[in-house]
Short mmCIF file of all heavy atoms in Angstrom, two decimals:
data_model
loop_
_atom_site.label_atom_id
_atom_site.label_comp_id
_atom_site.label_asym_id
_atom_site.label_seq_id
_atom_site.Cartn_x
_atom_site.Cartn_y
_atom_site.Cartn_z
N THR A 1 25.89 38.10 -66.55
CA THR A 1 27.03 38.83 -67.10
C THR A 1 27.10 40.23 -66.50
O THR A 1 26.07 40.89 -66.32
CB THR A 1 26.94 38.92 -68.62
OG1 THR A 1 26.89 37.59 -69.17
CG2 THR A 1 28.15 39.64 -69.21
N VAL A 2 28.32 40.64 -66.22
CA VAL A 2 28.61 42.01 -65.81
C VAL A 2 29.44 42.66 -66.91
O VAL A 2 30.32 42.03 -67.49
CB VAL A 2 29.37 42.05 -64.48
CG1 VAL A 2 29.87 43.46 -64.17
CG2 VAL A 2 28.47 41.55 -63.35
N TYR A 3 29.15 43.91 -67.19
CA TYR A 3 29.83 44.65 -68.24
C TYR A 3 30.61 45.83 -67.67
O TYR A 3 30.22 46.40 -66.65
CB TYR A 3 28.82 45.18 -69.26
CG TYR A 3 27.96 44.11 -69.88
CD1 TYR A 3 26.67 43.87 -69.41
CD2 TYR A 3 28.44 43.33 -70.92
CE1 TYR A 3 25.88 42.89 -69.97
CE2 TYR A 3 27.65 42.34 -71.49
CZ TYR A 3 26.38 42.12 -70.99
OH TYR A 3 25.59 41.13 -71.55
N LEU A 4 31.66 46.18 -68.37
CA LEU A 4 32.39 47.41 -68.07
C LEU A 4 32.54 48.17 -69.38
O LEU A 4 33.36 47.78 -70.22
CB LEU A 4 33.75 47.14 -67.44
CG LEU A 4 34.52 48.38 -66.99
CD1 LEU A 4 33.81 49.04 -65.80
CD2 LEU A 4 35.96 48.03 -66.61
N GLN A 5 31.74 49.20 -69.54
CA GLN A 5 31.84 50.04 -70.72
C GLN A 5 32.91 51.10 -70.46
O GLN A 5 32.80 51.86 -69.49
CB GLN A 5 30.49 50.73 -71.01
CG GLN A 5 30.51 51.68 -72.18
CD GLN A 5 30.75 50.98 -73.50
OE1 GLN A 5 30.16 49.94 -73.77
NE2 GLN A 5 31.62 51.55 -74.33
N MET A 6 33.91 51.14 -71.32
CA MET A 6 35.04 52.04 -71.13
C MET A 6 35.09 53.01 -72.30
O MET A 6 35.30 52.60 -73.44
CB MET A 6 36.34 51.24 -71.03
CG MET A 6 36.30 50.16 -69.97
SD MET A 6 37.89 49.35 -69.72
CE MET A 6 38.15 48.60 -71.32
N ASN A 7 34.89 54.28 -72.01
CA ASN A 7 34.93 55.33 -73.02
C ASN A 7 36.09 56.28 -72.76
O ASN A 7 36.65 56.29 -71.66
CB ASN A 7 33.62 56.11 -73.01
CG ASN A 7 32.42 55.25 -73.34
OD1 ASN A 7 32.51 54.29 -74.10
ND2 ASN A 7 31.27 55.60 -72.78
N SER A 8 36.42 57.06 -73.76
CA SER A 8 37.50 58.05 -73.63
C SER A 8 38.76 57.43 -73.04
O SER A 8 39.37 57.97 -72.11
CB SER A 8 37.04 59.23 -72.76
OG SER A 8 35.89 59.83 -73.30
N LEU A 9 39.14 56.31 -73.59
CA LEU A 9 40.27 55.57 -73.05
C LEU A 9 41.57 56.35 -73.20
O LEU A 9 41.78 57.09 -74.18
CB LEU A 9 40.38 54.21 -73.72
CG LEU A 9 39.36 53.19 -73.20
CD1 LEU A 9 39.19 52.05 -74.19
CD2 LEU A 9 39.78 52.67 -71.84
N LYS A 10 42.44 56.16 -72.22
CA LYS A 10 43.74 56.82 -72.17
C LYS A 10 44.84 55.77 -72.13
O LYS A 10 44.61 54.64 -71.68
CB LYS A 10 43.83 57.69 -70.91
CG LYS A 10 42.71 58.70 -70.74
CD LYS A 10 42.83 59.42 -69.40
CE LYS A 10 41.69 60.41 -69.21
NZ LYS A 10 41.81 61.11 -67.90
N PRO A 11 46.04 56.13 -72.56
CA PRO A 11 47.14 55.16 -72.49
C PRO A 11 47.35 54.60 -71.07
O PRO A 11 47.71 53.43 -70.93
CB PRO A 11 48.35 55.97 -72.96
CG PRO A 11 47.76 56.98 -73.89
CD PRO A 11 46.44 57.35 -73.28
N GLU A 12 47.09 55.41 -70.06
CA GLU A 12 47.27 54.94 -68.68
C GLU A 12 46.20 53.93 -68.25
O GLU A 12 46.29 53.37 -67.16
CB GLU A 12 47.31 56.10 -67.70
CG GLU A 12 46.16 57.08 -67.83
CD GLU A 12 46.52 58.30 -68.68
OE1 GLU A 12 47.16 58.12 -69.75
OE2 GLU A 12 46.12 59.42 -68.28
N ASP A 13 45.20 53.68 -69.09
CA ASP A 13 44.23 52.63 -68.81
C ASP A 13 44.74 51.26 -69.25
O ASP A 13 44.08 50.24 -68.99
CB ASP A 13 42.90 52.91 -69.53
CG ASP A 13 42.20 54.14 -69.00
OD1 ASP A 13 42.16 54.34 -67.77
OD2 ASP A 13 41.68 54.92 -69.84
N THR A 14 45.89 51.23 -69.91
CA THR A 14 46.46 49.97 -70.36
C THR A 14 46.77 49.06 -69.17
O THR A 14 47.46 49.46 -68.23
CB THR A 14 47.74 50.22 -71.16
OG1 THR A 14 47.39 50.93 -72.37
CG2 THR A 14 48.42 48.91 -71.52
N ALA A 15 46.23 47.85 -69.21
CA ALA A 15 46.40 46.91 -68.11
C ALA A 15 45.69 45.61 -68.45
O ALA A 15 44.94 45.54 -69.43
CB ALA A 15 45.82 47.48 -66.82
N VAL A 16 45.92 44.61 -67.62
CA VAL A 16 45.07 43.42 -67.64
C VAL A 16 43.89 43.69 -66.70
O VAL A 16 44.10 44.10 -65.55
CB VAL A 16 45.83 42.17 -67.20
CG1 VAL A 16 44.89 40.96 -67.18
CG2 VAL A 16 47.01 41.91 -68.12
N TYR A 17 42.70 43.48 -67.20
CA TYR A 17 41.49 43.74 -66.43
C TYR A 17 40.90 42.43 -65.94
O TYR A 17 40.73 41.48 -66.72
CB TYR A 17 40.47 44.49 -67.28
CG TYR A 17 40.80 45.96 -67.43
CD1 TYR A 17 41.88 46.37 -68.20
CD2 TYR A 17 40.06 46.94 -66.78
CE1 TYR A 17 42.21 47.71 -68.32
CE2 TYR A 17 40.37 48.29 -66.90
CZ TYR A 17 41.46 48.66 -67.66
OH TYR A 17 41.78 49.99 -67.79
N TYR A 18 40.57 42.41 -64.65
CA TYR A 18 40.03 41.22 -64.02
C TYR A 18 38.65 41.53 -63.42
O TYR A 18 38.46 42.61 -62.84
CB TYR A 18 40.93 40.75 -62.87
CG TYR A 18 42.33 40.40 -63.26
CD1 TYR A 18 43.33 41.36 -63.28
CD2 TYR A 18 42.66 39.09 -63.58
CE1 TYR A 18 44.63 41.04 -63.63
CE2 TYR A 18 43.97 38.76 -63.93
CZ TYR A 18 44.94 39.73 -63.94
OH TYR A 18 46.22 39.40 -64.29
N CYS A 19 37.75 40.57 -63.51
CA CYS A 19 36.53 40.69 -62.72
C CYS A 19 36.61 39.71 -61.55
O CYS A 19 37.33 38.70 -61.61
CB CYS A 19 35.27 40.45 -63.56
SG CYS A 19 35.08 38.79 -64.24
N ALA A 20 35.88 40.04 -60.50
CA ALA A 20 35.95 39.26 -59.28
C ALA A 20 34.59 39.27 -58.59
O ALA A 20 33.81 40.22 -58.76
CB ALA A 20 37.00 39.82 -58.34
N ALA A 21 34.31 38.20 -57.83
CA ALA A 21 33.02 38.04 -57.17
C ALA A 21 33.18 37.99 -55.66
O ALA A 21 34.10 37.32 -55.15
CB ALA A 21 32.32 36.78 -57.66
N ASP A 22 32.28 38.68 -54.97
CA ASP A 22 32.23 38.66 -53.51
C ASP A 22 30.86 38.13 -53.10
O ASP A 22 29.85 38.75 -53.41
CB ASP A 22 32.44 40.07 -52.96
CG ASP A 22 32.48 40.11 -51.45
OD1 ASP A 22 31.72 39.35 -50.80
OD2 ASP A 22 33.24 40.91 -50.90
N LEU A 23 30.85 37.01 -52.36
CA LEU A 23 29.60 36.35 -52.01
C LEU A 23 29.10 36.73 -50.62
O LEU A 23 28.09 36.19 -50.16
CB LEU A 23 29.77 34.82 -52.07
CG LEU A 23 29.65 34.17 -53.45
CD1 LEU A 23 30.77 34.61 -54.38
CD2 LEU A 23 29.64 32.67 -53.31
N THR A 24 29.78 37.63 -49.94
CA THR A 24 29.46 37.88 -48.54
C THR A 24 28.65 39.14 -48.29
O THR A 24 28.20 39.37 -47.17
CB THR A 24 30.77 38.01 -47.73
OG1 THR A 24 31.47 39.18 -48.16
CG2 THR A 24 31.64 36.78 -47.93
N LEU A 25 28.46 39.97 -49.31
CA LEU A 25 27.87 41.28 -49.10
C LEU A 25 26.34 41.23 -49.13
O LEU A 25 25.74 40.36 -49.76
CB LEU A 25 28.36 42.25 -50.18
CG LEU A 25 29.85 42.58 -50.12
CD1 LEU A 25 30.26 43.38 -51.35
CD2 LEU A 25 30.19 43.35 -48.86
#
C-alpha cells in the first residue's frame, strides 16, 4: 500500500485523485 497524507487542505485541492505504477524505474 502507498499512502498520501493530505493536510491543510484547500478548495483548490478538489479533484479526483489517482495512483499509478511505473515498473521501469
Side-chain angles (χ1 to χ4, degrees):
T1 302
V2 171
Y3 303 99
L4 185 68
Q5 177 66 44
M6 306 187 296
N7 298 329
S8 302
L9 283 161
K10 305 175 181 180
E12 51 264 43
D13 294 318
T14 295
V16 178
Y17 283 71
Y18 300 89
C19 65
D22 183 323
L23 278 65
T24 67
L25 293 171

